Amino acid sequence: MRSMHGRVARLLLPPSVDGGALPLLGARALRALADGYMAVLLPAYLLAIGLSTLQVGVLATSTMLGSALETLAIGAWGHRFHSRRLLQGAALLMAATGAGFATSSSFWPLMVIAFAGTLNPSSGDVSVFLPLEHARLATAAGGHERTALFARYSVIGALCAALGALAAAVPDWLMAHTGASRIGALRAMFVLYGAVGLLVWWLYRPALADRTEAQAPASAPLGPSRGVVVRLAALFSVDAFAGGLIVNSLLALWLLQRFGLSLAQTGVFFFWTGLLSAASQIAAPRVARRIGLLNTMVFTHIPANVCLVLAALTPDLPMVLGLLFVRSALSQMDVPTRTAYVMAVVTPPERPAAASFTSVPRSLAAALSPTLSGALFAAGWISLPLIACGVLKTAYDLTLWRACRRDALREH
């Protein structure tokens, strides 16, 4: 068993990276699988139980707002607790979220569950797991290897989210082969989501998860790096607000309403976009080594934003899909580089707090925009969120480059 673990670690981890990071990659993979199909099925389920498109947007906002406040609590008080216990608590919350959505059909109970739970309607990881896992991964590598480790963490998430998107076809299969109702088949996927939470809890068990903990420096609140973290948090919030206008659940809703795609077709689309995102994140460390973390974050993002605006203005479905595929091949290259950049501009003891306080404004800002998109969808302006997203993200990219191009990076 240990030899198998060693072979898997050599395959997935960069050289010299501590093997204790492996369970965190496994947990990321499982969560991404569940998030992949939930992003597609969540709006379909909510519409099937009689909610409006505006209510779909409000629930998406509730999930992201709740995640933001939970992440803020981790940043403020998380250093008082063992991070493994916090991760295991988050995994149990994931299991409870799946059970809650599977057994509720009224708007207000779903609002409460969405706010307190771990559902992720976006293309990235915006959950309470994020700062806890990032801080532990940062202790397992330094310099360029840290960028490579975060890239593999992101790639695994993107690949598994792509595979998970294919599972959006499972409810149709259940309806055809078991006679289940549409709502019953959709609820079964929430039960599966809860089961994934239990598997994630098992991966965080002490025998594997404590190895990175032993190497971590004592955590501390923000101090010397407070200024740069506040600046980054403010800039990241603009990017997140723009991204929240067209989270995957709302992009799925846009495809369903504008072009009449089926759930299976939408799932296949997100499968291919996920693969393209994963491929770009594999290339991100090599690109960053050549042109730097900040340049990689900025100059791969801008063409992706242009593609999104053009897709919103194009009436032809094949051309729209082509533009969105190009966007997917570029838009996520900033994910591992952004994480590595944050870890590199703060002192090691500040990393957990920095991960949390740069994530919280992102989550808060992203939580506001799905409701706005839902209102625009309900008013018939279904393409305006895509245009606004592309324009705002381009403004963010240019401002980020100007504000941060002289920041000094730490190698360890």
Side-chain angles (χ1 to χ4, degrees):
M1 189 72 173
R2 288 184 178 178
S3 62
M4 174 66 72
H5 180 266
R7 286 195 293 270
V8 173
R10 287 193 297 273
L11 177 65
L12 294 180
L13 299 177
S16 305
V17 173
D18 185 82
L22 189 60
L24 300 175
L25 299 185
R28 178 71 185 102
L30 288 172
R31 292 191 295 106
L33 282 168
D35 288 344
Y37 71 76
M38 276 290 104
V40 179
L41 296 182
L42 180 61
Y45 172 68
L46 297 176
L47 292 175
I49 62 175
L51 301 189
S52 67
T53 55
L54 176 59
Q55 289 174 316
V56 172
V58 170
L59 280 169
T61 288
S62 181
T63 63
M64 301 180 80
L65 180 60
S67 293
L69 295 179
E70 290 164 2
T71 305
L72 180 62
I74 291 296
W77 301 295
H79 62 278
R80 302 178 183 177
F81 304 94
H82 197 295
S83 65
R84 176 178 52 80
R85 293 189 181 279
L86 293 173
L87 283 167
Q88 288 188 306
L92 292 178
L93 183 59
M94 181 178 178
T97 302
F101 264 83
T103 56
S104 301
S105 57
S106 299
F107 176 71
W108 288 110
L110 289 174
M111 271 283 289
V112 173
I113 297 167
F115 180 82
T118 61
L119 277 185
N120 175 20
S122 71
S123 59
D125 193 353
V126 295
S127 68
V128 69
F129 295 93
L130 188 69
L132 295 168
E133 290 185 346
H134 279 185
R136 294 178 71 121
L137 287 172
T139 68
H144 291 298
E145 284 194 343
R146 183 185 298 131
T147 305
L149 177 58
F150 279 119
R152 297 190 188 193
Y153 175 86
S154 299
V155 166
I156 287 170
L159 284 173
C160 291
L163 292 172
L166 291 178
V170 170
D172 288 341
W173 184 90
L174 289 174
M175 292 166 60
H177 292 83
T178 68
S181 67
R182 180 176 177 80
I183 293 178
L186 290 168
R187 283 179 171 164
M189 302 304 289
F190 286 98
V191 174
L192 179 60
Y193 179 88
V196 169
L198 296 178
L199 288 175
V200 170
W201 177 88
W202 181 82
L203 275 177
Y204 292 142
R205 71 196 192 280
L208 290 178
D210 280 346
R211 282 186 241 177
T212 53
E213 187 85 7
Q215 298 184 8
S219 297
L222 289 176
S225 307
R226 179 180 296 275
V228 69
V229 170
V230 169
R231 187 200 325 147
L232 289 172
L235 289 168
F236 291 169
S237 67
V238 176
D239 178 51
F241 177 84
L245 290 169
I246 195 67
V247 294
N248 273 13
S249 290
L250 294 176
L251 183 58
L253 185 60
W254 183 72
L255 291 169
L256 292 168
Q257 290 198 338
R258 187 177 183 192
F259 297 105
L261 269 63
S262 67
L263 284 178
Q265 289 171 327
T266 307
V268 170
F269 165 76
F270 281 108
F271 168 74
W272 286 110
T273 58
L275 288 186
L276 289 169
S277 295
S280 70
Q281 291 175 46
I282 291 173
R286 184 170 298 180
V287 175
R289 190 183 293 266
R290 287 181 174 272
I291 68 173
L293 292 171
L294 183 62
N295 288 339
T296 304
M297 292 161 61
V298 171
F299 296 116
T300 59
H301 228 207
I302 293 175
N305 302 333
V306 172
C307 287
L308 182 62
V309 173
L310 292 176
L313 299 173
T314 303
D316 182 63
L317 177 60
M319 186 173 293
V320 166
L321 296 179
L323 288 166
L324 292 177
F325 286 146
V326 173
R327 172 188 179 245
S328 297
L330 296 172
S331 65
Q332 298 299 302
M333 288 186 76
D334 73 315
V335 173
T337 49
R338 180 179 62 230
T339 305
Y341 186 85
V342 171
M343 296 296 103
V345 295
V346 302
T347 63
E350 294 175 290
R351 283 170 181 161
S356 175
F357 282 104
T358 53
S359 298
V360 168
R362 287 184 58 83
S363 299
L364 286 172
L368 300 175
S369 36
T371 296
L372 176 59
S373 289
L376 292 172
F377 274 51
W381 297 88
I382 63 173
S383 293
L384 186 56
L386 281 74
I387 297 171
C389 176
V391 172
L392 284 173
K393 277 181 170 286
T394 300
Y396 150 79
D397 290 324
L398 296 174
T399 306
L400 177 70
W401 184 81
R402 182 177 178 83
C404 300
R405 66 188 186 278
R406 293 188 178 91
D407 285 344
L409 305 184
R410 302 173 190 270
E411 290 298 316
H412 300 287

